[in-house]
């Protein structure tokens, strides 16, 4: 080999080395892009996971808020239920007393009138609190609001009709506090 050939060879060698490095760098750059893409995919997956967690948490919070509102409304609506239950026997006693009194007796008439006015005021107060009487005389028997005490055969009424109310029932804001105790008709045996 001549000196010129030797001089050209290092240049070729250097070009070859540079090309090899470039190819290696290209591979490295391709590998780096893949790593970045994988990191990006991981970041997107985590972002989606966190977004879904955020949406679920938002939904749970909304449900919790609605449940708390409903509980507060029910507490306001039905907080008096126990108190109303304690007052109903007083109402029953006053009504029984009115029914038992002899209105034709002149000595009892003023007392009966006063008791009637008191009972009317008492009923008015209960109505203001959302209490309504259930008095199903001659209505169809409804097991949601009536409690059958006995059944009586009769041809004068349709079967399952309330013939008599033994004790009135009451509802508080459309929730049953006490069912009406009733006598129900049934078809006579032929």
């Amino acid at each position: 080999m001549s000196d010129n050939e030797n001089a050209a060879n290092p240049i070729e060698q250097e070009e070859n080395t540079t090309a090899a490095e470039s190819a290696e760098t290209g591979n490295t750059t391709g590998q780096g892009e893949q790593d970045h893409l994988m990191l990006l995919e991981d970041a997107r997956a985590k972002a989606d996971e966190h977004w879904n967690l955020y949406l679920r948490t938002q939904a749970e919070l909304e449900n919790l808020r609605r449940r708390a509102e409903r509980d507060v409304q029910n507490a306001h609506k039905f907080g008096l239920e126990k108190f109303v239950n304690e007052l109903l026997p007083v109402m029953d006693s006053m009504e029984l007393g009115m029914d038992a009194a002899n209105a034709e007796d002149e000595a009892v008439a003023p007392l009966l009138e006063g008791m009637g006015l008191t009972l009317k005021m008492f009923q008015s107060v209960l109505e203001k609190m959302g209490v309504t009487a259930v008095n199903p005389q001659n209505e169809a028997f409804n097991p949601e609001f009536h409690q059958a005490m006995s059944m009586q055969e009769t041809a004068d009424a349709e079967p399952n009709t309330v013939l008599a109310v033994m004790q009135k029932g009451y509802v508080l804001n459309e929730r049953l506090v006490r069912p009406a105790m009733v006598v129900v008709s049934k078809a006579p045996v032929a």
Side-chain angles (χ1 to χ4, degrees):
M1 251 190 213
S2 68
D3 287 340
N4 285 342
E5 286 176 348
N6 282 340
N9 275 342
I11 293 173
E12 279 181 20
Q13 285 177 352
E14 191 173 311
E15 284 176 0
N16 288 340
T17 306
T18 308
E21 285 175 358
S22 294
E24 203 171 283
T25 307
N27 284 342
T28 306
T29 305
Q31 183 68 30
E33 282 181 22
Q34 276 188 336
D35 289 345
H36 284 113
L37 285 175
M38 288 177 63
L39 286 173
L40 182 61
E41 286 300 318
D42 284 347
R44 282 185 182 160
K46 283 183 181 177
D48 287 344
E49 182 182 323
H50 289 144
W51 178 252
N52 289 334
L53 181 63
Y54 166 76
L55 291 177
R56 280 195 305 269
T57 305
Q58 268 308 92
E60 286 175 14
L61 281 175
E62 184 63 25
N63 288 339
L64 187 64
R65 187 185 62 77
R66 287 184 188 157
R67 199 174 314 129
E69 278 181 9
R70 190 176 53 238
D71 288 346
V72 168
Q73 285 176 348
N74 284 342
H76 286 288
K77 232 175 164 179
F78 304 113
L80 297 172
E81 187 172 346
K82 193 172 182 179
F83 182 63
V84 168
N85 266 325
E86 296 296 323
L87 291 178
L88 292 181
V90 178
M91 174 81 89
D92 294 338
S93 293
M94 290 176 73
E95 287 176 343
L96 287 173
M98 294 277 296
D99 291 342
N102 184 0
E104 294 176 5
D105 187 351
E106 289 183 18
V108 175
L111 183 65
L112 197 58
E113 184 180 342
M115 197 168 163
L117 291 172
T118 305
L119 182 62
K120 194 172 181 178
M121 285 172 47
F122 193 48
Q123 289 170 337
S124 173
V125 168
L126 288 178
E127 284 174 10
K128 284 180 186 172
M129 293 189 323
V131 178
T132 312
V134 177
N135 190 5
Q137 183 75 37
N138 297 325
E139 293 178 5
F141 177 74
N142 181 352
E144 291 182 18
F145 295 100
H146 311 152
Q147 181 177 350
M149 302 304 292
S150 67
M151 298 200 70
Q152 186 174 340
E153 291 182 10
T154 180
D156 297 336
E158 292 287 320
N160 288 330
T161 300
V162 174
L163 295 176
V165 178
M166 312 291 280
Q167 186 181 48
K168 285 196 275 186
Y170 289 91
V171 291
L172 171 64
N173 293 319
E174 299 176 13
R175 179 195 280 182
L176 185 66
V177 175
R178 185 179 79 185
M181 296 182 183
V182 298
V183 177
V184 183
S185 66
K186 68 177 181 181
V189 178

